[in-house]
Each structure stands twice: as structure tokens, then as C-alpha cells.
Amino acid sequence: MIGLIGIVISLMLLMYLAYKGFSVIVLAPLLALFAVAWSGLSNELLGFYSQVFMTGLGGYIIKYFPLFLLGAVFGKLMDDSGSAQTIANFFVDKLGHRRAMLSIVLSCAILTYGGVSLFVVGFAVFPIASALFKELGIPKRLIPAAIMLGALTFTMTALPGTPAIQNAIPMPFFNTDLYAAPGLGTLASIFILLTGMWWLNKRLAQADLNKEGYGNHVEMHVETKLVKSNPSLIIAFAPILIVIITNLVLTKLILPSLDTAYLATDKFGNTSLNSVIGLWAIICALVLACVSIIVLNWKAIVDIKDSIQQGVSSSFLPIFNTASEVGYGSVIASLAGFIILRDFLVGIAPNNPLISEAIVINVLAGITGSASGGLSIALNTMGETYKNLAIEHGISQELMHRVASMASGALDSLPHNGAVITIITLCGLTHKQSYYDMFVVAVIIPLIALCGVITLGTLFGSF
């Protein structure tokens, strides 16, 4: 019990200090070793650091670095080529001013589903949203919620095939691919989009009744990279379609047809195609998409070498932040106190591991303020347990994947979440002005959708 108290204190400190802005890369090892010392293992501190923490951190980087790297480069190229701007402008032009809110949400959704990072999406869409909302008298405080709904909800965790890291992390644990439980994921995505739009439109109607208007704001200058000319819509959409189509074709047709028996040898870690097919497919799809952007926009991108370099550089901090949290989880999972916590959480719904899995991942994502961080800690510490429980209770591994992915995208969006802070800062607003609507569309509605998926999956299985 003493060890469990140390783990809880360590987790609370991690959440509080991360919220205060301290680097997780520094906090994670220090607080992991704090929990070790509290458990009476002070003489083993260095061993825990080098053999447990660093092994967990390194293993995560080895497995997922290509996704972070290629995703960052792809997003930067989409930004610097003007493609992201073209796509956002298209939705605003086609849907018109009467559907301004929907145009912003769909712009963010298409870009993120195509593999563009939130940060690129935010910088591309915010200037358009700001000008549009100001012209129409829509409160500026609703912009962060619109961006969140499109970029950080259903396209991050629920929509089948999304290349988001939150959809990729469960694959090796459950031997699944990005299209796990496509029917349930699609239904959840539709529910989140429609319910989120209902909420935003309701809030807009209230603001209109109160004659609130855009509001008086000191507009922040959003620096954009010089682009010689924005590409046509076809050229702008082409890389996104390449990601989606290539990923699907490789996952379902090409890779399964290859002779991959060699993977079962010691040289390749005695693995199987099922455990790597999802990663292989998205890596190949992103490489091809990056090449296509360069070829199609060779003259439009001012400095291709600089764009690639900036993309590469921007991938380092996110992956090391997440990997440090995974290393932290590896240390915590090796302590005796964690066994008590694990048995308690698994026992919450002994006959339905979907409920336990959802609670564990949500709690850890909320504590760390990171969907990928909480998901990684949960599956690295309890993934094998949940896989075996699913087999024992006849639950589809695809359903376990979809619930795990969706569970990471709810309580992660509490006020200390990095993406929440980034969007609010980008929009020149405060938590007090805009977080309430962000909380509804990115926490409450995804939680309801998650409960729906668990209920349908329990009743009808995966589909």
C-alpha cells in the first residue's frame, strides 16, 4: 500500500508540474525514480533509470519515430506549398457564409484525416476563421472549439483509417490495422460530428440572441511562410488522397500478399505481419505523399530543403515528450504497488474488459494531458493483460483497438493539455473565454460516443 501511495503522489505531481509548464522530458524520469524511492528501492535507482526507464523510452522511439517524423514533414510541406490554405478556402467558398462554422470544422477534419498535424491545421485555418467570424459577427471565442471538433476528436481516434498516432499505437498490441472496427468507428465519428455541430450552432444562436457579436479583440499576427502561389484544389487534395488510398491498398491488398515468413526468424524479432502491417502501410503512404507534394509543388515551395528540415526538427520534441511518458509508465508498471492498482482497475468490470480499458486509458490521458502519452502508458503496462482478457471473454481485438483509441481522446483535453493551450494561445484568447465549449465538444461528446461504442460492441460485437 505504501508503494501505491507513492505512485499516486508521483502521478499527481506529473500532472500538476506539466500543467505549470515544466518539461515532461525532465519530469518523467525524476518522478518515476521518486516512486521507486518511495517504494523502498533507493539502492536500485540507477538500475531502474538505465534498464527500465530508458528501455521503455527507446522502445517507443524505435517503433513510432517514423510516424512522428513523416507526419511532421508531410504537414510542413502541406503548409509551405499552400495546399492546406487552398483546402480551407475551398470549404469556406463552397459552404458559404451561412455555414461558416461547418466550413471551419470540415477544413480541420479533412486536413487532419489526411495526415496534417494539428499545429499546421491551426495556423492554416485560424486566419480564415477569424476573418469569416468577424465579418459575420460570430463570437471569436467559438473558434477554438470549432478547430478542436474538426482536428482533435473523431479524425484523431474514431474514423477508420486515420493516420493519427492515437490510431496507430494500439495496432501492435492487438495485431490490428488502422481500419479496426470500421462500422463502430464510422458511427462514432458521425455522432461526434453531428452532436458537436449541434452544440456549436446552439451556442451561436444564444450569442445572436444576446447580440454578442465577434467581440473586441486585439488580433494576433499569425506569421505565414511566403508561398509563390497557392496550388489548385486538385493538386492540394492529391497528397491527402494518396495517404488515404495508399494506406488502404497496402493494408488490405498488397502487404498481405507478400511472403513475409522471414519475420518469424530471430533476425527480425520473431514477429508476424499482423503486428507490423499497419505501421508499414502508413509509413509507405506518408513517404509517397511527401514525394508527391514536392513533385507537384516544385516551383511553389520557396525552399524545399528548409521545409523538410523544419519538419524534421519539429518532430523531435513531440516524440521525446511521449516516449518519456512511456518510460515513466514502464517504471511504474514494474513496481509492486502498481499490481494493486492494476488488479483494482481490471476488476472494475471483471466480465467486460472494454469498460476497464476505457477507464484506465481515459484516466492516464487526463493525468498526463496527452492522448498518445496516456494511451502508450496504459498499453505498455497493461496491453498484454487486456489482450488476454479479450480472448478469454470472446471480445474482438479490433473492438479493443477502437475502444483504446477513442478512450485516449476524451479526458486528454483537460485544461492542461498541450493542444488546448496551443489553440487558445494561437487564437489570442483565454481558458475563461473559450474552454467551456472546447470541453463540451472534445471531452463530453467523445465520452458519450465512447460509451455508445462500448455498448454496441458488447451487444453486437465488432463490425
Side-chain angles (χ1 to χ4, degrees):
M1 184 58 70
I2 295 297
L4 179 58
I5 293 173
I7 290 173
V8 172
I9 293 174
S10 174
L11 284 170
M12 292 300 104
L13 286 173
L14 178 63
M15 179 173 65
Y16 175 75
L17 294 175
Y19 175 69
K20 288 295 184 180
F22 288 91
S23 171
V24 172
I25 296 175
V26 175
L27 287 177
L30 291 178
L31 291 176
L33 296 181
F34 167 84
V36 171
W38 189 287
S39 299
L41 302 172
S42 299
N43 61 318
E44 301 177 11
L45 286 176
L46 292 177
F48 269 97
Y49 177 73
S50 64
Q51 305 307 118
V52 181
F53 179 87
M54 289 305 298
T55 298
L57 179 149
Y60 184 86
I61 292 175
I62 290 171
K63 185 178 294 183
Y64 296 113
F65 178 65
L67 296 187
F68 281 83
L69 173 65
L70 292 170
V73 172
F74 176 71
K76 188 61 180 170
L77 289 172
M78 284 290 288
D79 186 24
D80 289 354
S81 68
S83 297
Q85 192 83 8
T86 294
I87 292 171
N89 286 330
F90 166 76
F91 281 103
V92 172
D93 292 341
K94 289 300 178 182
L95 293 175
H97 288 185
R98 292 181 60 188
R99 298 182 179 87
M101 194 76 72
L102 180 61
S103 67
I104 298 304
V105 172
L106 290 182
S107 297
C108 295
I110 290 294
L111 288 169
T112 49
Y113 186 68
V116 182
S117 72
L118 162 71
F119 303 102
V120 171
V121 170
F123 277 95
V125 173
F126 169 69
I128 300 172
S130 178
L132 186 61
F133 280 31
K134 190 172 186 178
E135 178 184 347
L136 300 177
I138 300 174
K140 183 183 182 183
R141 60 179 174 79
L142 295 178
I143 295 179
I147 294 176
M148 286 284 283
L149 177 59
L152 284 176
T153 57
F154 62 98
T155 57
M156 185 178 80
T157 64
L159 199 58
T162 177
I165 189 67
Q166 292 80 3
N167 193 33
I169 288 173
M171 294 190 300
F173 295 96
F174 302 114
N175 291 332
T176 50
D177 57 43
L178 296 176
Y179 299 89
L184 288 169
T186 300
L187 288 176
S189 298
I190 293 172
F191 173 82
I192 293 171
L193 175 59
L194 293 181
T195 309
M197 286 306 307
W198 167 79
W199 175 262
L200 291 178
N201 287 325
K202 174 186 174 183
R203 296 285 286 168
L204 175 57
Q206 292 174 344
D208 287 341
L209 286 175
N210 296 328
K211 298 181 179 180
E212 180 178 341
Y214 182 78
N216 296 318
H217 303 278
V218 178
E219 298 298 339
M220 296 182 63
H221 174 66
V222 179
E223 184 178 351
T224 56
K225 192 176 181 71
L226 178 64
V227 180
K228 295 177 181 177
S229 61
N230 282 342
S232 67
L233 186 64
I234 294 176
I235 291 177
F237 264 109
I240 287 178
L241 292 176
I242 287 173
V243 171
I244 296 170
I245 295 172
T246 303
N247 181 32
L248 180 61
V249 171
L250 285 172
T251 300
K252 302 299 183 181
L253 298 176
I254 297 178
L255 292 178
S257 68
L258 300 179
D259 180 9
T260 55
Y262 65 88
L263 290 173
T265 63
D266 292 339
K267 181 179 181 180
F268 294 96
N270 298 302
T271 190
S272 66
L273 178 62
N274 285 338
S275 65
V276 296
I277 190 171
L279 291 172
W280 285 6
I282 190 57
I283 287 171
C284 293
L286 286 172
V287 168
L288 186 58
C290 288
V291 172
S292 72
I293 297 175
I294 294 172
V295 172
L296 293 173
N297 300 277
W298 184 261
K299 295 182 178 180
I301 302 176
V302 175
D303 189 337
I304 293 175
K305 183 179 70 174
D306 181 60
S307 295
I308 294 175
Q309 183 57 48
Q310 287 189 37
V312 170
S313 299
S314 66
S315 71
F316 294 149
L317 184 59
I319 192 170
F320 271 96
N321 276 335
T322 306
S324 294
E325 291 171 341
V326 172
Y328 171 87
S330 298
V331 172
I332 297 300
S334 67
L335 299 177
F338 181 78
I339 305 299
I340 301 173
L341 180 61
R342 183 196 67 189
D343 291 345
F344 168 75
L345 293 172
V346 171
I348 291 175
N351 295 319
N352 192 343
L354 292 171
I355 297 175
S356 171
E357 180 187 48
I359 292 174
V360 170
I361 294 173
N362 253 303
V363 169
L364 289 174
I367 288 172
T368 59
S370 167
S372 57
L375 180 60
S376 298
I377 292 174
L379 292 185
N380 274 280
T381 54
M382 299 178 66
E384 190 67 26
T385 299
Y386 284 126
K387 181 178 181 179
N388 293 333
L389 285 172
I391 294 173
E392 179 184 338
H393 291 89
I395 297 175
S396 165
Q397 299 294 314
E398 288 201 357
L399 181 55
M400 295 296 291
H401 172 131
R402 187 54 54 209
V403 168
S405 180
M406 290 185 62
S408 72
L411 292 184
D412 71 304
S413 296
L414 293 177
H416 62 293
N417 174 268
V420 169
I421 295 170
T422 298
I423 292 173
I424 289 175
T425 303
L426 170 65
C427 295
L429 297 167
T430 64
H431 279 74
K432 183 178 180 179
Q433 291 172 308
S434 55
Y435 181 70
Y436 175 63
D437 294 298
M438 298 173 79
F439 178 78
V440 172
V441 301
V443 178
I444 298 299
I445 292 175
L447 277 175
I448 296 172
L450 174 61
C451 292
V453 167
I454 293 174
T455 301
L456 290 173
T458 301
L459 294 174
F460 305 108
S462 178
F463 58 88

